[in-house]
């Protein structure tokens, strides 16, 4: 997968076609699929600790076994090949390859990723590596975690190890996946590991994640060949005011600041936005938090920006004396993840919901991509996660029909296609997720996969959506709707 601009679609091609060279992929995360929690020298991450803490995860589920990808990766890669995937976005378990978060790597841990990459390359599937998808080694959390500046330095050392070990066979490297979740859900609302609820720690974590990203980009660039690409993946909130009122516009501004611009500001523009600093000045001393040279480190150029999207964020200013509604989609907690903006209320965009109670609204993806393209026209984009959970089940005939997911994917892929037609430089799309897996604090109660996993046997059953997606990849176009022949 390379970040050269795909060729424009010929005018004679069907209107639903995608550009030549468009990357079609699927994604997973280490703790959600690998299992083998204590094998090969791996030590606990914060998600091991969190999931083993009673009351944290639904039904007491853990990622100890997950989808057993560690042992079944060859079968899973064969599934990818059968589906025609061009790329596989996976994350590396930091505590599998560097168990304490410090010092030399463990060869047994590295060997798993070497084998996985060999299998992918042999199958013609491009490996796309994410260095961090929320599973901080527990020893680093015990030393202070992301609110502690030293964690950023440890991450840069880890990035250097991985680049030196796998840089000859991985051409696309993502530093962090959704640092907003790591900081604001992990240290603010506590619904993600490590489960802390400290507003000041939340903002310190956000800054140190930004710093870790920038230092990792420097470490990667010092080792990788010039042809390699670097990236970060952000779950940018497509924020909308509930009404046209000035109060709701103010609510949207605040959530955009603490939900989006806390990362895009320093990473893409080299500065934290002034309104964010003002909104949160009573919580943290930004002057002492941000050291000289930090913003230059954080704003090192990247080659592509990963964009994750599931649902829009609709907000209003809460009426005094009335509790804020909790439809922010990020899990129930008495503590708000929206540090400095606890008084903002959240609403569903509509009543067409997934099993996560997330509103289905593909227009938000189109708006997000076109707005990013206008604000940063020089930066290529990738949709690195998009998908939906529904209540899937195996039929008496042994198949899994998921027409709701097919409709969801069709609508969102059409939104991507329209964004490209409107000038957005979108290079590819990664469906979330390849497999049903451990869905964080929801455990195994939610299924996002396009491949069904029977957790009692680990049997894989491609859902109807998997076959549909394979057809989209083969066509490089969306299939016909309502009898139209579009490719």
């Amino acid at each position: 997968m390379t970040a050269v601009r795909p060729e424009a679609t010929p005018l004679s091609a069907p209107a639903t076609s995608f550009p030549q060279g468009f990357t079609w992929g699927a994604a997973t995360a280490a703790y959600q699929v690998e299992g083998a929690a204590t094998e090969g020298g791996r030590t606990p991450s914060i998600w091991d600790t969190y999931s083993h803490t009673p009351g944290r995860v639904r039904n007491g589920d853990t990622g100890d076994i997950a989808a057993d990808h560690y042992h079944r990766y060859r079968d899973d890669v064969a599934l990818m090949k059968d589906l025609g995937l061009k790329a596989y976005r996976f994350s590396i378990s930091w505590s599998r390859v560097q168990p304490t978060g410090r010092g030399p790597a463990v060869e047994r841990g590295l060997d798993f990723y070497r084998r996985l990459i060999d299998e992918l390359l042999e199958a013609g599937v491009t490996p796309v590596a994410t260095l961090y998808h929320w599973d901080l080694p527990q020893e680093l959390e015990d030393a202070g975690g992301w609110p502690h500046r030293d964690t950023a330095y440890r991450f840069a050392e880890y990035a250097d190890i991985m680049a030196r070990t796998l840089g000859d066979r991985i051409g696309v490297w993502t530093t962090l996946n959704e640092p907003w979740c790591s900081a604001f859900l992990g240290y603010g609302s506590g619904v993600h590991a490590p489960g802390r609820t400290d507003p000041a720690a939340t903002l310190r974590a956000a800054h140190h994640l930004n710093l870790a990203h920038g230092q990792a980009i420097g470490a990667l660039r010092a080792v990788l060949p010039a042809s390699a690409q670097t990236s970060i993946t952000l779950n940018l909130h497509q924020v909308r005011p509930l009404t046209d009122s000035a109060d709701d516009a103010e609510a949207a501004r605040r959530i955009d600041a603490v939900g989006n611009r806390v990362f895009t500001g320093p990473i893409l523009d080299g500065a934290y936005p002034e309104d964010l600093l003002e909104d949160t000045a009573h919580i943290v001393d930004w002057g002492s938090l941000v050291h000289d040279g930090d913003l230059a480190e954080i704003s090192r150029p990247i080659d592509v920006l990963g964009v994750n999207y599931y649902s829009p964020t609709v907000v209003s200013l809460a009426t005094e004396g009335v509790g804020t509604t909790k439809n922010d989609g990020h899990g129930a907690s008495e503590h708000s993840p929206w540090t400095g903006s606890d008084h903002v209320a959240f609403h569903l965009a509509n009543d067409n919901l997934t099993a996560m109670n997330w509103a289905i609204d593909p227009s938000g993806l189109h708006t997000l991509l076109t707005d990013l393209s206008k604000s940063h026209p020089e930066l290529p984009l990738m949709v690195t996660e998009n998908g939906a959970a529904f209540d899937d089940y195996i039929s008496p005939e042994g198949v899994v029909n998921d027409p709701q997911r097919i409709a969801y994917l069709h609508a969102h892929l059409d939104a991507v296609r329209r964004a490209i037609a409107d000038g957005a430089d979108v290079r590819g799309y990664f469906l979330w997720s390849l497999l049903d897996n451990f869905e964080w604090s929801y455990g195994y109660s939610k299924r996002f996969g396009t491949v069904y996993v029977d957790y009692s046997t680990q049997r894989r059953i491609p859902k109807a959506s998997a076959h549909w997606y394979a057809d989209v990849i083969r066509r490089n176009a969306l299939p016909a709707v309502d009898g139209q022949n579009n490719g």
Side-chain angles (χ1 to χ4, degrees):
M1 185 181 79
T2 57
V4 296
R5 186 178 182 91
E7 297 178 22
T9 302
L11 294 178
S12 59
T16 54
S17 291
F18 286 79
Q20 290 182 341
F22 191 81
T23 296
W24 295 101
T28 66
Y31 189 72
Q32 292 183 272
V33 299
E34 282 183 4
T38 60
E39 293 187 40
R42 184 185 181 278
T43 58
S45 73
I46 56 175
W47 266 100
D48 294 272
T49 302
Y50 188 88
S51 66
H52 281 268
T53 302
R56 290 295 200 181
V57 175
R58 188 171 297 184
N59 301 320
D61 293 338
T62 75
D64 289 359
I65 299 174
D68 199 30
H69 181 64
Y70 183 88
H71 297 111
R72 300 170 188 268
Y73 70 91
R74 290 187 176 89
D75 293 339
D76 292 338
V77 173
L79 274 172
M80 298 178 211
K81 183 177 181 180
D82 288 345
L83 295 176
L85 294 185
K86 306 304 180 187
Y88 174 51
R89 177 177 173 255
F90 63 96
S91 76
I92 295 165
S93 168
W94 189 349
S95 61
R96 189 179 297 285
V97 300
Q98 194 189 25
T100 65
R102 297 181 176 85
V106 172
E107 288 299 320
R108 290 178 296 170
L110 293 172
D111 283 345
F112 167 69
Y113 296 104
R114 292 186 179 110
R115 295 192 301 269
L116 172 62
I117 293 164
D118 287 345
E119 200 76 15
L120 289 166
L121 293 174
E122 186 175 341
V125 179
T126 298
V128 177
T130 298
L131 287 170
Y132 187 74
H133 198 131
W134 308 351
D135 46 358
L136 186 71
Q138 182 61 44
E139 286 199 24
L140 291 185
E141 173 60 23
D142 293 342
W146 286 113
H148 187 46
R149 187 178 179 91
D150 185 66
T151 305
Y153 302 143
R154 303 288 75 75
F155 185 72
E157 293 173 359
Y158 160 58
D160 175 77
I161 289 171
M162 299 314 302
R164 293 181 187 279
T165 303
L166 303 176
D168 60 333
R169 287 177 294 167
I170 295 178
V172 185
W173 292 83
T174 300
T175 55
L176 307 172
N177 178 80
E178 299 186 349
W180 187 87
C181 294
S182 296
F184 290 83
L185 301 184
Y187 295 92
S189 65
V191 299
H192 277 195
R196 291 162 62 178
T197 55
D198 180 344
T202 299
L203 295 175
R204 291 198 301 270
H207 177 63
H208 296 143
L209 283 156
N210 284 333
L211 182 61
H213 157 75
Q215 292 195 329
I217 292 294
L220 293 171
R221 278 283 163 233
V223 175
L224 296 175
S227 59
Q229 298 173 326
T230 59
S231 177
I232 187 171
T233 284
L234 302 177
N235 59 316
L236 297 173
H237 300 81
Q238 203 273 306
V239 184
R240 306 172 183 174
L242 181 65
T243 72
D244 293 333
S245 72
D247 280 351
D248 289 357
E250 167 64 6
R253 179 202 64 75
R254 296 185 73 102
I255 296 307
D256 180 52
V258 77
N260 295 329
R261 291 182 285 121
V262 65
F263 297 106
T264 59
I267 292 171
L268 301 183
D269 301 321
Y272 284 102
E274 287 298 325
D275 60 331
L276 169 73
L277 302 183
E278 293 171 4
D279 291 346
T280 57
H282 64 291
I283 299 172
V284 72
D285 178 7
W286 288 95
S288 61
L289 176 62
V290 181
H291 294 193
D292 288 346
D294 281 4
L295 292 170
E297 286 276 351
I298 294 168
S299 60
R300 289 177 182 270
I302 57 175
D303 300 295
V304 61
L305 176 65
V307 178
N308 292 357
Y309 173 85
Y310 293 93
S311 185
T313 301
V314 181
V315 299
S316 67
L317 202 63
T319 304
E320 186 175 353
V322 177
T324 57
T325 54
K326 299 296 185 181
N327 288 322
D328 68 353
H330 295 299
S333 172
E334 294 180 0
H335 303 271
S336 172
W338 306 98
T339 306
S341 295
D342 302 18
H343 58 295
V344 173
F346 293 80
H347 309 270
L348 293 171
N350 57 57
D351 58 2
N352 184 19
L353 308 179
T354 70
M356 296 289 291
N357 288 321
W358 296 348
I360 300 172
D361 189 339
S363 70
L365 179 55
H366 174 270
T367 300
L368 190 58
L369 294 173
T370 53
D371 285 354
L372 281 167
S373 178
K374 291 172 185 174
S375 62
H376 297 88
E378 77 292 346
L379 183 60
L381 306 174
M382 281 273 183
V383 178
T384 37
E385 285 185 27
N386 176 242
F390 293 105
D391 296 325
D392 304 320
Y393 61 92
I394 305 173
S395 76
E397 295 75 28
V399 300
V400 181
N401 291 311
D402 55 343
Q404 290 174 297
R405 182 172 291 103
I406 291 173
Y408 180 101
L409 295 175
H410 195 292
H412 284 78
L413 281 171
D414 188 58
V416 174
R417 180 197 59 79
R418 289 187 292 108
I420 294 171
D422 290 339
D425 185 4
V426 186
R427 305 291 176 87
Y429 176 93
F430 288 79
L431 182 154
W432 184 271
S433 174
L434 176 69
L435 303 168
D436 289 337
N437 54 52
F438 176 83
E439 184 47 41
W440 307 115
S441 58
Y442 293 91
Y444 297 102
S445 68
K446 305 298 181 185
R447 293 182 177 271
F448 275 88
T450 195
V451 174
Y452 186 95
V453 177
D454 180 342
Y455 296 114
S456 64
T457 64
Q458 293 296 339
R459 179 187 175 201
R460 272 74 161 140
I461 304 173
K463 303 175 187 178
S465 61
H467 302 297
W468 180 89
Y469 190 50
D471 186 54
V472 170
I473 296 171
R474 179 184 61 80
R475 296 168 177 260
N476 197 41
L478 292 175
V481 178
D482 295 331
Q484 298 175 6
N485 184 7
N486 288 326

